[in-house]
Amino acid sequence: MKVMDFKRRELYIDIGSANTRISLEGKEIFNEPTCIAYHRGSDSVVAVGKKALMLLGKAPSSIE
């Protein structure tokens, strides 16, 4: 398993109201809607980002 050396890298995280963006050394590596879907019964994350946004209004009541 390769471990990244962050000592010499620039990491930017922008947790916006609509999208979360992560850039590493000026290159965007993550840009997804700020959205999480989780199952209330098991208290576990079902989906994040675009997949969670697609569940909005379509998932059963046990998923928020």
Side-chain angles (χ1 to χ4, degrees):
M1 184 170 129
K2 184 178 179 181
V3 178
M4 294 183 71
D5 179 17
F6 285 104
K7 293 178 185 175
R8 298 183 195 131
R9 296 180 184 239
E10 293 182 13
L11 178 68
Y12 298 95
I13 301 173
D14 176 15
I15 304 172
S17 58
N19 282 1
T20 297
R21 303 168 94 181
I22 300 175
S23 298
L24 182 61
E25 295 186 344
K27 181 180 177 186
E28 189 170 80
I29 57 174
F30 185 84
N31 184 1
E32 296 269 339
T34 305
C35 189
I36 297 174
Y38 71 95
H39 188 270
R40 287 190 292 169
S42 63
D43 199 30
S44 61
V45 175
V46 176
V48 295
K50 292 175 189 173
K51 291 181 181 180
L53 188 60
M54 289 173 40
L55 291 173
L56 189 63
K58 299 176 185 174
S61 61
S62 60
I63 297 177
E64 291 187 11

